[in-house]
Amino acid sequence: MDAVRVALLREVLAGTEWPGATRRFAGALRSSVLPHGGGLLLVGTAEYEPWHLAAHLVDEAAWSGTPELTPTLVRHGAHPGDPAHLAVGLGRIEAARRGETLLVVAPDAPGAPLLERVHDARRAGATVLALDCGDRELHAMAHEALAVPSEPDLSLDTVQHLVSAAAGENSLPSPRGRRRLRDRLSRLADQLTSPPPARW
């Protein structure tokens, strides 16, 4: 979904909680991955794989210059013979550690096997985010959750568009300590290309 459609969608939803709620959730996503340099794992349920959100996050990561937003899609039905970006199975969640973020997208109940893995990832120190239908067990494990009720005017797919767009447009936190080389080069380029001050 392009920026114009996202803007129209936000306009349609103006006056509701959704523009603010999706921006807050996207802010939680960014603040969990940026300080650690990435490590975003994205998983759905056995019946639903969040391909669409994965693709949008890849795009937003490229457009916003924040590669940390690029997710690893974790699949329930991954096979060793699949292409590398499709061959990551549920064992990757079991290997999640502190500094990594696990985003669970579940339009229906996630099921016990996935919940067990999410619980293990959280105990190992991973940050857990949930974008779902309001499952109580999943929300109890999540550091941040956004529940999407089943309404005719709003779908989980729509909310995923808003979250991914907001994740790419939020401003970067101010750097602490040493600035990255790219930041210093950008500042230097701004100084060299800015017009001289006006003299009156």
Side-chain angles (χ1 to χ4, degrees):
M1 183 176 286
D2 59 36
V4 173
R5 289 182 184 169
V6 168
L8 288 172
L9 187 54
R10 286 182 180 149
E11 192 174 314
V12 168
L13 293 171
T16 72
E17 65 177 308
W18 293 106
T22 53
R23 279 197 166 106
R24 279 190 300 277
F25 188 82
L29 174 61
R30 283 180 67 102
S31 66
S32 68
V33 298
L34 292 183
H36 302 291
L40 175 58
L41 305 175
L42 176 62
V43 68
T45 63
E47 294 77 28
Y48 176 83
E49 289 188 336
W51 299 87
H52 209 61
L53 180 57
H56 281 296
L57 285 171
V58 168
D59 289 343
E60 292 296 338
W63 294 332
S64 65
T66 49
E68 299 89 348
L69 287 173
T70 303
T72 297
L73 181 62
V74 178
R75 302 180 59 221
H76 289 258
H79 301 290
D82 290 339
H85 68 288
L86 300 176
V88 179
L90 293 176
R92 180 62 183 88
I93 297 174
E94 295 168 10
R97 295 290 175 257
R98 184 171 306 281
E100 293 186 299
T101 301
L102 174 61
L103 173 54
V104 182
V105 181
D108 47 34
L114 179 57
L115 287 173
E116 288 171 16
R117 286 179 166 94
V118 172
H119 181 261
D120 291 344
R122 179 175 170 129
R123 277 191 7 185
T127 300
V128 177
L129 304 177
L131 183 57
D132 70 337
C133 59
D135 184 83
R136 286 183 183 179
E137 289 183 80
L138 181 56
H139 279 226
M141 287 184 244
H143 293 90
E144 186 76 29
L146 182 59
V148 182
S150 53
E151 296 177 3
D153 298 338
L154 190 71
S155 68
L156 184 64
D157 188 51
T158 300
V159 171
Q160 289 178 67
H161 284 299
L162 293 172
V163 166
S164 61
E169 70 191 10
N170 288 342
S171 61
L172 285 169
S174 58
R176 295 184 177 206
R178 295 179 57 206
R179 302 182 91 187
R180 294 185 304 186
L181 176 62
R182 189 176 73 195
D183 295 332
R184 290 184 299 204
L185 290 174
S186 175
R187 190 167 152 235
L188 178 61
D190 288 344
Q191 290 172 347
L192 293 174
T193 58
S194 62
R199 295 181 186 228
W200 299 97

